Amino acid sequence: MLSWYEIAHGLIGGIFVGAAYALLSAGFSLTWGVTRVINLAHAAFALLGSYITLTLLEMAGIDPLVSIVFIVPLLFLLGLGLHYFLIKPTAKRTRDITGASMVLCFGLYIIIENLLVIMFKSDDRVLHSRYSDISLAIGPISVALTSIISLAIAAVSLVIIYFFLNRTYTGKAVRAVWQDREGAMLSGINVEGVTAITYGLSLATAGVAGLCLVLMYSVTPFIGFSWLVFVFLVAIMGGLGSILGVTVGGLIVGLIVSLGSVFIPLAYINLVLFVLLIIVLLIKPSGLFRR
Amino acid sequence: MLEVKNVDVFYGHLQAIWDVSINVKEKEFLTILGSNGAGKSTLLNTIAGLNRAAAGSIEYKGVKINGLEPYKICAMGLILIPQGRKIFPMMNVLENLQMGAYLPGPRKTVRQNLEKIFATYPVLKDRSGQLAGTLSGGEQQMLAIGRGLMGNPELLMLDEPTLGLSPKLALDMLTSLKKFHEQGMTLVLVSQETMQCLQLAERAYVLENGRVALQGQCSILLADDKVRKAYMGI
């Protein structure tokens, strides 16, 4: 018997997980749009953010909120490295960067996954911070403090990305390169530099999303793959090129997963999601929020 | 001001430009004519840094610029308004113009330049909040030129700015170019409107199959029977 309590619980849970997926997908959508690269390793970099959070807390007692200060610059640098040492040389040698990059990034994904197994073993890991085991009551529903913190971090990050892309010169240049690469070059935009920044931003936000997810869920080195599935769903539903789209897409996917698990067995939820994805692709292939 | 010497350009294995040499003098209004596929756009794109010259050299203000990245060439005041406009369709008119002033130098002169551009093309001011992709063809062309002007060009190259415009709009467009020239800008215009170009510009090059076929003062070319027959159909 379903109760309103369960449905409300599902709704709130959907918003929490949806916001984290939205943040996770934002960077993926950015690099896909700007460079036509489908970064299959994106979720692995998020997982790196999760394990950095875990390690900093366990080894040095660093608060998960403080670990953002480490994750963002580190992943940003990794993003620059990814662009200059892997993507750029590959793009120079191929005409089909989308296909080539998928293979390249898939390989990278496997490397990162295996490195994580070597370093951290393949057991489930749970973050035990001082925020764990605290619940807040929203009406009759109790919500874990970690979920609220995760939501806050994801929301603030998405707002920052939105403002960066829409209010700063560099952010606008990212959109310009996305919309017309040659037009951007002729406008005096250093396309190479802007692309590198895009990768830095993409991986930095992935790392923060990894932090959000590890606040709420346990992780193993293999969970990246199921995250990647969600990233694809959100990016395609939201349409490439729109942070608003990614946010709404993330919330939709989150709500379906969370509410769906109230009504139907968890095993069928992926089925529902992918049927929905196919419907979206058939009706509006450019995504729900692309004009 | 601009000196292109013996340049060859290839697309893959296909050679598009053969041993082309042109020069542009300061404050000059130059036009490059020729039929479709003659290599006009290739030449301009190569000067702007989008294509690589396989042989020869390109010098701007005495500095070798072939091989430089396009944004560095922009920074020197050599700006191309490309064929097909290449504006940013999902950004509004104002943002498009801002992108033209992305480099540190032009970013200091955004306000003055906006005023100038809005005075020349008032419709851009009215539509400044509108997405560029929703503008009409003529307005998009004005936007593309406006974006180029934001970068403080000393030498402005325009590739087919009248393509797809109605005769009236095309004439307005060419008239606005004349104004830029009178204000002291050096112009290189590529267009299919042979007659009008020859009347507007001071000197012309005619390209044929990727080679310079003719060159000279516009007044002389206008009077030339061969030119009239081949390019104006009279």
Side-chain angles (χ1 to χ4, degrees):
Chain A
M1 183 61 201
L2 282 172
S3 65
W4 285 109
Y5 174 78
E6 282 174 308
I7 293 174
H9 213 90
L11 270 174
I12 291 176
I15 292 169
F16 288 136
V17 61
Y21 285 146
L23 180 60
L24 182 59
S25 311
F28 177 80
S29 166
L30 263 180
T31 43
W32 189 346
V34 172
T35 55
R36 306 273 122 219
V37 163
I38 297 182
N39 182 7
L40 290 181
H42 191 75
F45 287 105
L47 206 46
L48 220 51
S50 307
Y51 276 100
I52 291 171
T53 311
L54 281 165
T55 310
L56 286 178
L57 181 67
E58 287 164 15
M59 298 287 194
I62 291 169
D63 190 286
L65 290 180
V66 178
S67 59
I68 294 178
V69 184
F70 296 92
I71 291 174
V72 169
L74 190 71
L75 272 287
F76 190 90
L77 285 179
L78 277 178
L80 296 189
L82 175 64
H83 170 65
Y84 282 116
F85 296 116
L86 289 178
I87 304 289
K88 191 181 159 193
T90 309
K92 264 190 186 157
R93 287 182 178 79
T94 173
R95 279 185 205 164
D96 173 24
I97 182 62
T98 304
S101 68
M102 272 174 97
V103 179
L104 176 75
C105 294
F106 185 61
L108 192 61
Y109 175 85
I110 291 172
I111 291 172
I112 296 173
E113 189 181 81
N114 281 289
L115 284 177
L116 288 174
V117 172
I118 292 168
M119 288 194 290
F120 300 104
K121 308 286 182 286
S122 54
D123 313 326
D124 257 329
R125 296 284 291 271
V126 180
L127 189 74
H128 291 292
S129 68
R130 62 195 178 94
Y131 308 111
S132 309
D133 308 319
I134 301 174
S135 292
L136 300 178
I138 301 179
I141 295 156
S142 78
V143 175
L145 178 62
T146 48
S147 298
I148 294 173
I149 293 174
S150 161
L151 175 66
I153 294 173
V156 169
S157 307
L158 284 167
V159 168
I160 290 173
I161 303 170
Y162 181 85
F163 273 91
F164 170 71
L165 289 177
N166 289 283
R167 293 285 187 281
T168 69
Y169 261 97
T170 311
K172 286 177 186 180
V174 171
R175 286 160 62 215
V177 173
W178 188 324
Q179 291 171 33
D180 198 311
R181 204 176 174 82
E182 278 194 357
M185 288 176 170
L186 295 172
S187 302
I189 293 171
N190 177 359
V191 171
E192 209 58 68
V194 167
T195 308
I197 289 171
T198 309
Y199 275 96
L201 182 71
S202 172
L203 294 206
T205 54
V208 175
L211 161 68
C212 290
L213 286 163
V214 80
L215 277 170
M216 296 190 285
Y217 303 108
S218 65
V219 296
T220 76
F222 308 110
I223 203 167
F225 185 74
S226 59
W227 287 358
L228 183 67
V229 170
F230 285 113
V231 164
F232 256 101
L233 275 168
V234 173
I236 291 170
M237 275 207 206
L240 300 173
S242 159
I243 290 302
L244 190 68
V246 165
T247 307
V248 178
L251 289 178
I252 291 174
V253 171
L255 284 171
I256 291 173
V257 173
S258 182
L259 272 180
S261 58
V262 176
F263 295 106
I264 53 175
L266 202 62
Y268 293 146
I269 287 174
N270 276 353
L271 187 74
V272 174
L273 279 171
F274 277 90
V275 169
L276 199 77
L277 176 67
I278 290 169
I279 294 172
V280 169
L281 282 175
L282 286 175
I283 297 170
K284 203 150 184 307
S286 54
L288 294 174
F289 294 90
R290 192 75 199 257
R291 265 163 282 209
Chain B
M1 191 177 201
L2 178 72
E3 188 83 44
V4 177
K5 275 187 207 148
N6 311 105
V7 161
D8 291 340
V9 181
F10 291 81
Y11 288 118
H13 293 292
L14 288 173
Q15 188 161 1
I17 290 213
W18 310 71
D19 196 28
V20 165
S21 300
I22 68 164
N23 66 76
V24 187
K25 301 184 188 84
E26 198 143 0
K27 313 261 186 213
E28 189 176 31
F29 193 156
L30 185 87
T31 181
I32 300 174
L33 305 170
S35 56
N36 265 338
K40 310 183 295 286
S41 296
T42 307
L43 178 60
L44 291 199
N45 288 342
T46 307
I47 295 170
L50 292 180
N51 296 335
R52 286 274 150 113
S57 77
I58 304 171
E59 274 183 23
Y60 176 68
K61 289 180 173 170
V63 182
K64 184 170 165 280
I65 60 165
N66 44 328
L68 284 187
E69 284 178 80
Y71 77 96
K72 289 185 179 152
I73 296 173
C74 283
M76 298 169 79
L78 171 50
I79 291 179
L80 168 66
I81 316 289
Q83 187 173 359
R85 296 143 197 167
K86 299 207 175 283
I87 54 167
F88 310 119
M90 303 286 289
M91 292 168 88
N92 68 32
V93 168
L94 189 64
E95 288 175 320
N96 266 273
L97 292 172
Q98 285 173 342
M99 287 299 101
Y102 188 75
L103 287 158
R107 219 181 282 191
K108 294 190 197 105
T109 52
V110 168
R111 192 167 300 165
Q112 300 95 293
N113 281 336
L114 278 179
E115 261 171 41
K116 264 193 254 167
I117 290 160
F118 288 155
T120 314
Y121 304 120
V123 68
L124 292 182
K125 189 174 188 182
D126 302 337
R127 314 228 156 178
S128 57
Q130 198 174 318
L131 287 185
T134 65
L135 298 178
S136 74
E139 290 160 356
Q140 289 192 7
Q141 188 61 55
M142 292 175 203
L143 178 58
I145 295 178
R147 186 180 68 186
L149 294 176
M150 292 296 286
N152 295 330
E154 289 166 55
L155 197 170
L156 189 65
M157 304 187 289
L158 300 107
D159 194 353
E160 301 279 10
T162 57
L163 198 71
L165 301 191
S166 70
K168 159 88 172 70
L169 278 176
L171 197 66
D172 289 350
M173 179 60 60
L174 295 175
T175 314
S176 68
L177 298 187
K178 202 170 174 186
K179 210 174 97 190
F180 301 149
H181 180 231
E182 284 160 6
Q183 287 164 358
M185 209 179 284
T186 311
L187 291 179
V188 175
L189 172 64
V190 160
S191 173
Q192 308 268 9
E193 317 265 350
T194 309
M195 189 72 168
Q196 277 160 338
C197 285
L198 284 175
Q199 283 167 347
L200 263 177
E202 297 160 346
R203 206 157 56 87
Y205 285 88
V206 180
L207 292 188
E208 240 172 51
N209 299 323
R211 292 183 170 87
V212 176
L214 269 175
Q215 66 176 85
Q217 295 298 317
C218 289
S219 50
I220 296 170
L221 292 178
L222 263 173
D224 190 304
D225 267 351
K226 227 170 59 188
V227 175
R228 292 172 76 95
K229 274 205 190 94
Y231 300 104
M232 287 174 256
I234 3 175

